[in-house]
Amino acid sequence: MRHVIIGAGVAGLASIEAIRSLDTSSEIIMLGEDPHGFYSRPGLAYYLTGELYDKALFPKTREDYARLKFKYQTTRVTKINRAQKNVQLDGKALLSYDKLLIATGASAIPLTVPGAHLQGVVKLDHLEDARLILKFAKRGKTAVVVGGGITALELTEGLLSRGVTVHYLLRGDRYWSNVLDEHESRIVERRLQEEGVTLHFHSELIEVIGKGGKVGGVRLLNGRTFKCDILAYAIGIRPRLDLARDAELALDRGILANEFLQTNDPDIYAAGDVAQVYDPLLGRSVLDSLWNPAREQGRVAGLNMAGQRKSYIKRAPFNVTRLAGLTTTIIGAVGHGHDEDVLGIARGDSETWRQPPDAIVAQGGFDTNHVRILVGEKTIIGAIVMGDQTLSTPLQKIIANKMDISRIHDKLLARDAKIADVIVDFWSHYLTRA
């Protein structure tokens, strides 16, 4: 039996670990275009700021890989031949498979404005991108950052930490408006401004101005221009679907896969950012672009490839990130599109929160602590915790387990409610009864 994994990300590695947990003898070959193999993509942001060195991005040792007994081959897969059950490498050699996993991930949506090809236009897709950014980022340089989500902010903070003057362009009237509410956006914006970032609202890039083949400035839709040496962009990601499309696998926004991570070809599986996986609880197929779901999908795909029938059940989204230096946990549904389920929003701000039992303090000592909770009829649907993280673990479990919060429902929505205290009391009571 030969298992072939296309992609060297967390989904691919998790699939290998799962296969080996059931099968110690089958051949496993991982194919990846990245010469560095597997490393922590979320860690790239901390590599940019200087908080992590190169080696810290690689959590696995040679001994770890040796125990998994697989071969890693740096190559580009150019074609999947389903009828012959093989893949073509770099347009030449053929490699046969019994079970195939496509875990090719997603790539940054390219910038298409005039001048996007100039030296000094950068993105943050992989390690070589990060190294290129550090090469360009020198004290005294000026950068413009374009994009509205987490990666754009990571680029902003990475450049800022290297002594670069940063201008951040926002198309709308506030930061990340599809996830954060106005109060939360303003918290992030204020912190950025305090760090020295210049924010430009209602600003849309239409051209990167060249100077000797390099970035020399930018032109905006409103006619304004200003000089810069670096243009960093993060305008979204797109699943890498070329191989699957060419192989005539079923596609929507991603590669369609059932709850066992199988595509419409029973010997081909998909996992991670490239996969649109059927969720039996939601009754529809969903894309996910977070690290933990990719790892879990890879694990479930690997178990199924090795012969164990295992369903993937999407957990409540749980993402810990950092926004302008502020640790922020996003749990469940917090953005737009969930209004029909939300009966009320509870919001609390406090300098200190009581420590609940069984909570993990990810980080404390912030000058800003904020929590927003979206309350349904009997459950908490989503939450955002900014700053002190003592509430994030209890809220994750309350939301993921769809705990009945009927007895604290009115307390949460009461005027001037102490939200954190209500959650701590509820969690403490739950633990004493458990």
Side-chain angles (χ1 to χ4, degrees), residues 76-368:
R76 187 169 70 95
V77 178
T78 52
K79 190 175 181 62
I80 298 170
N81 300 304
R82 288 169 54 190
Q84 293 78 28
K85 293 189 70 171
N86 63 39
V87 296
Q88 192 172 42
L89 310 180
D90 285 321
K92 299 172 185 175
L94 297 175
L95 177 69
S96 64
Y97 65 82
D98 293 294
K99 300 290 182 182
L100 177 70
L101 173 65
I102 304 174
T104 47
S107 55
I109 294 174
L111 195 65
T112 56
V113 300
H117 64 284
L118 292 166
Q119 184 180 332
V121 175
V122 295
K123 56 183 174 58
L124 186 59
D125 235 359
H126 45 67
L127 180 54
E128 287 306 311
D129 286 337
R131 287 178 172 170
L132 186 63
I133 291 168
L134 294 182
K135 177 185 173 183
F136 290 139
K138 295 184 175 65
R139 194 167 295 278
K141 296 279 188 179
T142 298
V144 169
V145 177
V146 178
I150 292 174
T151 305
L153 210 55
E154 291 173 343
L155 286 164
T156 298
E157 295 190 279
L159 289 162
L160 197 67
S161 69
R162 301 291 173 168
V164 176
T165 300
V166 180
H167 294 265
Y168 185 14
L169 306 185
L170 293 154
R171 293 180 69 173
D173 57 2
R174 61 185 179 88
Y175 171 71
W176 210 14
S177 58
N178 62 329
V179 173
L180 304 181
D181 68 9
E182 185 172 357
H183 178 62
E184 291 152 0
S185 294
R186 302 307 178 208
I187 289 173
V188 175
E189 292 160 9
R190 185 175 66 248
R191 292 178 71 91
L192 286 172
Q193 289 167 330
E194 288 170 353
E195 291 174 6
V197 177
T198 304
L199 301 177
H200 302 268
F201 298 100
H202 301 291
S203 297
E204 187 169 349
L205 176 75
I206 62 167
E207 183 183 0
V208 185
I209 301 168
K211 186 179 180 182
K214 300 179 181 179
V215 173
V218 296
R219 179 174 283 108
L220 307 184
L221 184 61
N222 61 13
R224 185 180 178 190
T225 64
F226 46 89
K227 294 179 180 179
C228 64
D229 312 286
I230 302 166
L231 187 283
Y233 68 93
I235 54 177
I237 59 172
R238 183 181 295 150
R240 294 188 176 103
L241 297 175
D242 289 350
L243 279 174
R245 185 178 291 112
D246 185 57
E248 298 185 345
L249 293 173
L251 305 177
D252 184 24
R253 290 185 300 149
I255 302 173
L256 290 170
N258 63 19
E259 64 263 47
F260 307 110
L261 283 302
Q262 283 174 304
T263 67
N264 57 309
D265 184 323
D267 292 322
I268 300 180
Y269 296 72
D273 292 359
V274 76
Q276 188 172 335
V277 183
Y278 180 77
D279 185 337
L281 295 181
L282 293 176
R284 57 186 172 87
S285 298
V286 293
L287 273 174
D288 237 318
S289 59
L290 297 176
W291 181 263
N292 284 329
R295 180 169 53 193
E296 180 62 12
Q297 287 178 14
R299 187 185 74 85
V300 173
L303 293 175
N304 282 289
M305 291 166 74
Q308 179 179 317
R309 200 74 164 156
K310 174 77 174 176
S311 294
Y312 169 75
I313 305 295
K314 179 179 165 64
R315 298 175 183 173
F318 181 76
N319 187 24
V320 181
T321 187
R322 194 169 64 177
L323 303 178
L326 197 64
T327 299
T328 301
T329 300
I330 302 169
I331 312 165
V334 297
H336 300 321
H338 303 281
D339 296 342
E340 68 279 3
D341 300 318
V342 177
L343 299 185
I345 298 174
R347 183 184 287 105
D349 292 276
S350 175
E351 290 304 311
T352 55
W353 292 342
R354 266 195 306 131
Q355 174 75 20
D358 193 36
I360 299 169
V361 183
Q363 203 171 349
F366 288 102
D367 58 357
T368 300

